Every structure is written in C-alpha cells, then in structure tokens.
Amino acid sequence: SMHETPLPEGLLAVARAGAGVNNIPVPACSEQGIVVFNTPGANANAVKELTIAGMLLAGRDIVGGIEWARTLKGEGDKVAALVEKGKNHFVGPELKGKKLAVIGLGAIGTMVANAGHALEMDVYGYDPFLSVEHALMLSRAVHKAGDLDKLLAEADFVSLHLPLTDKTRGMVGADMLCKFKPGAALLNFSRGELVDETAMAKALESGKVKKYVTDFPNPKSVHMKNVLVLPHLGASTEESEDNCAVMAVQ
C-alpha cells in the first residue's frame, strides 16, 4: 500500500497492476496533479480460471480427498484397497447442468459467465449497470436476470465479480444469505469486504451455504467451517503480471 509512503517530488503518474486503486492515495495524488490509472481486464483470464477451479473445489471434495490420500503414507500394499474403500467419502456433484449466478458482469464476470456456459452450466448474469462493451462480449446463451432475489433462490453457485464501493461493502450479509438456495456455494474472487464475515460464518455453520470459496484470508475466514481460503492467487500468473505491465506502460 502507498498510503503510508510519502509521494516523491517529480512523480508524474502511478499505475496499478490490477483493477482496484484502493492501495493508492488518490485524493493526495489528485492534489499534486499526479495521474493515477489502473489496468482493468489485464488479469481477467487468470481470475476467471481460478473461479472455475473454485467451483470444482466447492462441488467435489477434492481438497479433502488430497488430504486423506496423504494419510496413506506407510500403508504399502494396502493403499489400493484403502483407496477403493475410502473414496466414497469424497463424492460430489458435477458442474454440468447446475445453475450459476454471476453477480457483476464486468471484464471478469463476463468471462466467468461464458466459461460456465462452455462447461454446460445454466448461467444467469445479474448486473443493473451492464455496459454495452461487456454485453457484446457475453454469450447469447447467458440469461440476463432482472430479479436478484429470485436468482439467489435457484442458484447452485453464486460468484461475485463486483468492485468494492460504499454500496457493495458488506452486501453479502444476513439478508442476502437467507435468500440463497439451501446448499449453494458462494465464490468470492473480487474483494473480501463484499462479504459480512459474521453472517457468512453463521450461514456455513447452519449448512444454508455448503461452501464458501474466498481468495481473501482474514482473521474470521480462516476459522470458518466449510470454507476454502486461497492466499489471494487470483492474478498470480506469469501471463497476468506481463499483461498488467504491458497495459500500464501503454
């Protein structure tokens, strides 16, 4: 974060390798005539791919299976038999045919919606502020939802792709979570603060939400039941870093 860093003399511009500018003191830069800009969309494919991985991890207990397989060290010739006996603990549903709700159809949300359709999911996108640019990128097979409450009541997977603003902060709270289809999974690869962590913990504890996949570890999320916490890996690819650098320079 640049918030604690004094702005050096002669600084002309600050480029953010990513979509948000929350780690840059924009008002202070504006006062001094320093241009601040970001690189929206440069890491979109990386985040899209991790979101798809998140859905697979939320549906089928892949992580649990891997952890269990590690316990078979030292079992020698018994491993194959133990695997056949134990694998039924990690059964889960396929993505094909499941209903995916994509909340926010910007650069990343649009790509996630299209990828969901390619995986033969039933995809619904919700975005009251959908731009013409992103609407043109969206597959015609993706349904545009007008009623968020109705969509949440039917979706098996809900994926957040929203910027963090005063309006969206904590928007996934008790009111929204109680409208979820029982046993649905929530994916958050946007910003941790979109989710009210206390309400999220309760929804997971009760089983109302089956899994919460988040890319934002914090003191609450790391302790939650049925949570899969990733260490902010959304944009952590070599390709994404190159794309951001190239876009910033251009």
Side-chain angles (χ1 to χ4, degrees):
S1 173
M2 286 182 62
H3 287 283
E4 284 75 46
T5 310
L7 299 168
E9 218 174 305
L11 181 64
L12 299 176
V14 179
R16 161 80 167 98
V21 289
N22 48 307
N23 53 356
I24 299 166
V26 178
C29 289
S30 300
E31 279 173 28
Q32 296 183 39
I34 299 163
V35 179
V36 175
F37 57 94
N38 57 3
T39 55
N43 58 20
N45 188 69
V47 180
K48 174 205 81 176
E49 289 187 6
L50 199 63
T51 303
I52 299 301
M55 285 198 283
L56 290 163
L57 294 171
R60 299 167 73 171
D61 190 8
I62 297 166
V63 173
I66 292 168
E67 289 172 349
W68 177 74
R70 285 201 183 111
T71 68
L72 302 177
K73 290 174 185 173
E75 293 290 350
D77 295 341
K78 296 183 198 166
V79 169
L82 287 167
V83 165
E84 288 309 307
K85 192 179 172 186
K87 68 181 184 182
N88 61 333
H89 294 294
F90 309 103
V91 174
E94 298 180 13
L95 297 184
K96 182 180 176 181
K98 300 301 180 294
K99 186 167 282 192
L100 167 63
V102 180
I103 315 297
L105 294 167
I108 298 169
T110 300
M111 292 175 81
V112 169
N114 290 348
H117 169 63
L119 291 166
E120 299 182 67
M121 300 181 81
D122 186 18
V123 185
Y124 287 75
Y126 177 81
D127 191 334
F129 308 106
L130 178 61
S131 72
V132 173
E133 178 194 359
H134 293 129
L136 290 170
M137 290 164 58
L138 203 59
S139 164
R140 278 185 289 182
V142 173
H143 311 283
K144 267 70 84 192
D147 186 335
L148 181 58
D149 289 356
K150 185 173 183 292
L151 177 57
L152 293 173
E154 297 173 351
D156 301 295
F157 295 88
V158 179
S159 194
L160 304 176
H161 299 284
L162 299 158
L164 180 64
T165 65
D166 289 340
K167 282 188 178 177
T168 61
R169 186 181 301 276
M171 67 175 279
V172 183
D175 287 351
M176 184 184 277
L177 289 165
C178 75
K179 291 165 186 167
F180 271 46
K181 176 181 178 179
L186 176 68
L187 300 107
N188 181 9
F189 289 90
S190 289
R191 288 285 180 270
E193 295 88 348
L194 295 171
V195 175
D196 175 338
E197 302 285 359
T198 303
M200 189 74 242
K202 285 180 183 171
L204 288 165
E205 197 66 43
S206 70
K208 174 73 172 177
V209 177
K210 177 187 169 188
K211 289 276 191 215
Y212 175 40
V213 188
T214 176
D215 208 18
F216 308 100
N218 63 46
K220 286 186 178 174
S221 66
V222 295
H223 287 290
M224 285 183 203
K225 177 184 177 182
N226 291 328
V227 70
L228 294 168
V229 186
L230 286 78
H232 202 182
L233 298 178
S236 296
T237 66
E238 293 166 11
E239 294 88 345
S240 173
E241 288 170 11
D242 288 349
N243 291 343
C244 285
V246 168
M247 188 183 279
V249 170
Q250 287 175 345

